[in-house]
Amino acid sequence: MAKRFTPRRFAALLLPLALAAMTEASPAFARGPTTGDPLPVPKTALSGTDAPRVLTLDLTRDANDIWDRIRRGFGMPDLDSPLVAEQQLFYLNRPGFLKQVFARGGRYLYYIVDELERRGMPTELALLPMVESSYNPLAYSRAHASGLWQFIPSTGKHYNLTQDNWVDERRNVITSTNAALDYLQTIYEMHGDWHLALASYNWGEGAVKRALQRNIDEGKPAEYSSLRMPEETRNYVPKLQAIKNIVSQPELFHIELPYVANEMQFVTVSAPPGIDLGTAARHADMPLEEFLALNPGFNRPAITTPGHTFVVPADRASRFEARLAETLSSGSAWRTHTVEAGEKLDTIAEQYGLTVAQLRQLNGLGTQGGVAAGQSLLVPDGIDPSGALEASRLLPFAGVVARQQGLKLSGSADVSANTSGRDPQLRFRGEREASIGLSSPRLGRAGAARQHDAKRASMHEVHGKIAGKDAKGKPARGQPTTRNRADSVDHGARKGARNSAPAAAGATKAPRPVTKNNAAATTAGAGKASPAQKNAAAAAAKGKPSRPSR
């Protein structure tokens, strides 16, 4: 009996012919005859097109570099929203900024990623310091947040980060990283959601709890994207997602990540009392700026008490320790001099072979004012002071930091002439921003900006609350408890970046804007669009730069 000819049977007859034609026309989609595995794509298959090669992950091999290792540990759900597209477009329009910040972060990424993996936390968090501080451990905000992870003083104290005249462990790469991850674990366990945990890190866990309860009471979803929150917090997770998208597929966006080996970058070495930072840098065969980038937690240019450590490149640790021992065996060292009643600076300076200007510089005393009885001054005891004097020009002295944080200091020296070591961060605006330096003095404009900040803080002082914080250091009701504010770095320091040190001298020219045409080109030939691609295309289609986040 003859079989009935139907449209379905006709389609079945045509299917082999269609598959054969597709294989011949598009080798990229060819499949093996038995296994179904993709066949190799000839080198000529993509010739004549601008389609970029998109990175893929092969978990059967070891990570190529630290970026490859970070991609393997991504564990947060992706956020796909217009805000992500705007933040992504902002970064893509500033390739010079991206290159500089990623290179700077290379010093710290191995340790951060290693600690995240040890704790079983998603490796996206290794990118969070880019949002917080642009990977600058000396970053300091008007909210008094400091370090890579931008701890405010009260939260730093809660996580046992020492903040005194001599050290500020919020800037210490190791201690601050451990404290930040402890805190992130705590707020994740509180909410069970990483987006809510990140919002809590920026806004405060109490504020997020109240916002969630408000949504529940109003019958709205109790999730991050549905919360009413400050503009800064609303943009916080999208910033991290935008950076994640770029790191996930840098070639798609024509971004080249600097090579960072997937190996230990540094180790810790005991810092013996009596050594100064300049001498230690020479013993480590490092420029002082590089040494301070690994050891940013010191407020003074020399160490006089035990219990501290230096961070040095792993391959130099043994030689470094041997040279430190030689220096200390000479009997020369740094120590503290306690000022007696009626004792003058010129008398103390002459006693230790210093000028008054040098004594002031070593102790962050500024150019005016005297010293009080009982005050401790750093002085050389038979040791060459040149290394400490050099370091003192780059350090955010205890006097500056203490006054800005409300810590008590012995004496009342005027320290406004000293640099705070701040690094200007980019505001999320359309205008071209100044280049970013690692750590360089900003004596003139930064000093004036600090005076301006102090004046503004005094104007906001009402019933024991200053700049949104009560007398106990807790945030006032309704105020963000941000560990970082991208717009909170003082405006004078940002302007001072134009006078920054050699680290910023190689600033790139104004980047080529991502336009509607070239943004669309980045997705050509990439197959199914990822959230990163859709966000970039959506923002570019508007034909305008990202709007200000604040």
Side-chain angles (χ1 to χ4, degrees):
M1 180 177 177
K3 293 184 179 180
R4 187 178 179 183
F5 190 78
T6 64
R8 180 177 296 179
R9 183 173 299 281
F10 181 70
L13 292 173
L14 290 180
L15 181 60
L17 298 176
L19 290 176
M22 182 187 297
T23 301
E24 182 177 356
S26 180
F29 293 98
R31 298 283 171 178
T34 56
T35 65
D37 294 333
L39 294 175
V41 180
K43 293 183 178 180
T44 57
L46 297 178
S47 61
T49 71
D50 295 328
R53 180 178 63 85
V54 179
L55 292 177
T56 57
L57 290 179
D58 180 0
L59 299 180
T60 63
R61 58 169 175 76
D62 293 334
N64 293 329
D65 58 13
I66 198 64
W67 306 109
D68 194 13
R69 185 177 175 186
I70 289 174
R71 292 183 199 106
R72 293 161 181 254
F74 283 165
M76 293 184 191
D78 284 329
L79 182 67
D80 188 3
S81 74
L83 286 177
V84 175
E86 288 182 9
Q87 303 300 339
Q88 189 168 287
L89 190 60
F90 170 86
Y91 287 121
L92 292 175
N93 272 327
R94 292 158 177 82
F97 167 72
L98 282 178
K99 181 178 180 180
Q100 186 178 25
V101 174
F102 282 141
R104 181 190 301 165
R107 298 182 178 89
Y108 318 113
L109 280 173
Y110 182 89
Y111 178 81
I112 297 173
V113 173
D114 213 44
E115 190 64 21
L116 286 169
E117 290 181 344
R118 187 183 69 79
R119 296 167 180 247
M121 299 173 72
T123 52
E124 288 98 323
L125 294 174
L127 306 175
L128 191 60
M130 181 172 176
V131 178
E132 289 288 344
S133 63
S134 299
Y135 286 120
N136 178 16
L138 291 177
Y140 190 84
S141 78
R142 283 197 296 263
H144 309 310
S146 185
L148 283 178
W149 299 93
Q150 291 290 281
F151 275 101
I152 58 174
S154 57
T155 309
K157 290 175 184 176
H158 181 77
Y159 284 90
N160 300 314
L161 297 178
T162 302
Q163 303 162 62
D164 59 28
N165 296 16
W166 297 88
V167 296
D168 187 344
E169 289 187 333
R170 296 178 301 156
R171 298 196 307 267
N172 182 293
V173 175
I174 293 175
T175 57
S176 68
T177 295
N178 294 340
L181 300 190
D182 286 344
Y183 182 46
L184 285 164
Q185 280 184 309
T186 298
I187 51 183
Y188 173 72
E189 291 167 2
M190 179 186 300
H191 297 296
D193 180 283
W194 276 114
H195 291 165
L196 292 175
L198 289 169
S200 296
Y201 190 87
N202 178 260
W203 190 19
E205 56 270 30
V208 172
K209 273 188 174 181
R210 290 190 295 272
L212 287 169
Q213 188 60 50
R214 187 189 306 118
N215 272 26
I216 293 172
D217 294 342
E218 296 175 358
K220 297 178 180 179
E223 57 187 27
Y224 168 79
S225 59
S226 299
L227 296 183
R228 294 203 301 270
M229 63 188 88
E231 190 74 6
E232 176 192 327
T233 307
R234 184 173 304 282
N235 284 280
Y236 189 72
V237 177
K239 289 176 189 177
L240 182 62
Q241 181 67 52
I243 298 167
K244 174 184 176 180
N245 292 344
I246 293 170
V247 171
S248 296
Q249 298 175 309
E251 294 191 7
L252 177 67
F253 302 109
H254 304 285
I255 296 293
E256 183 177 355
L257 300 178
Y259 176 75
V260 180
N262 182 31
E263 59 188 28
M264 185 179 296
Q265 302 289 318
F266 55 72
V267 295
T268 56
V269 173
S270 178
I275 197 73
D276 65 77
L277 303 182
T279 300
R282 288 196 296 270
H283 288 341
D285 295 323
M286 298 175 67
L288 181 57
E289 291 83 357
E290 289 292 317
F291 186 80
L292 293 179
L294 291 179
N295 298 274
F298 295 104
N299 287 333
R300 298 290 185 91
I303 297 169
T304 59
T305 56
H308 300 289
T309 58
F310 285 134
V311 175
V312 295
D315 58 349
R316 307 181 191 185
S318 298
R319 184 169 64 253
F320 178 69
E321 287 183 293
R323 290 177 175 177
L324 285 179
E326 289 178 9
T327 299
L328 295 178
S329 64
S330 66
S332 302
W334 288 88
R335 66 179 184 84
T336 55
H337 174 93
T338 303
V339 179
E340 298 179 357
E343 202 168 16
K344 303 297 183 182
L345 279 176
D346 54 355
T347 304
I348 300 172
E350 184 179 0
Q351 180 181 347
Y352 294 100
L354 300 170
T355 66
V356 173
Q358 289 174 332
L359 184 61
R360 286 184 178 277
Q361 181 178 327
L362 289 168
N363 290 278
L365 298 180
T367 57
Q368 301 295 327
V371 288
Q375 186 171 348
S376 295
L377 297 178
L378 181 67
V379 293
D381 187 3
I383 194 169
D384 181 3
S386 60
L389 287 168
E390 183 183 6
S392 68
R393 298 185 184 97
L394 300 177
L395 286 178
F397 278 103
V400 175
V401 176
R403 191 171 69 174
Q404 290 172 335
Q405 295 174 351
L407 300 176
K408 268 194 172 181
L409 266 183
S410 54
S412 57
D414 177 11
V415 290
S416 63
N418 285 298
T419 176
S420 69
R422 301 173 197 163
D423 185 48
Q425 300 173 50
L426 290 178
R427 286 188 178 182
F428 278 66
R429 293 183 177 176
E431 71 267 24
R432 182 181 177 184
E433 298 286 349
S435 58
I436 294 181
L438 258 178
S439 60
S440 58
R442 291 147 171 85
L443 297 178
R445 291 174 176 170
R450 279 192 297 278
Q451 294 174 354
H452 176 67
D453 289 343
K455 184 176 180 180
R456 288 186 60 184
S458 65
M459 293 174 63
H460 286 78
E461 184 173 356
V462 180
H463 302 302
K465 295 184 179 181
I466 301 177
K469 294 182 175 57
D470 60 24
K472 296 181 180 179
K474 296 180 180 179
R477 183 175 180 82
Q479 293 291 336
T481 59
T482 179
R483 276 79 195 158
N484 166 62
R485 291 182 171 92
D487 64 343
S488 63
V489 177
D490 91 37
H491 186 61
R494 185 178 289 106
K495 288 183 178 179
R498 298 188 183 97
N499 300 322
S500 59
T508 59
K509 296 182 179 179
R512 181 176 63 92
V514 177
T515 64
K516 181 176 179 180
N517 292 334
N518 62 39
T522 62
T523 60
K528 186 177 180 180
S530 67
Q533 300 168 16
K534 291 190 293 182
N535 288 334
K542 297 179 181 179
K544 59 182 180 180
S546 60
R547 62 178 176 82
S549 298
R550 51 186 56 77

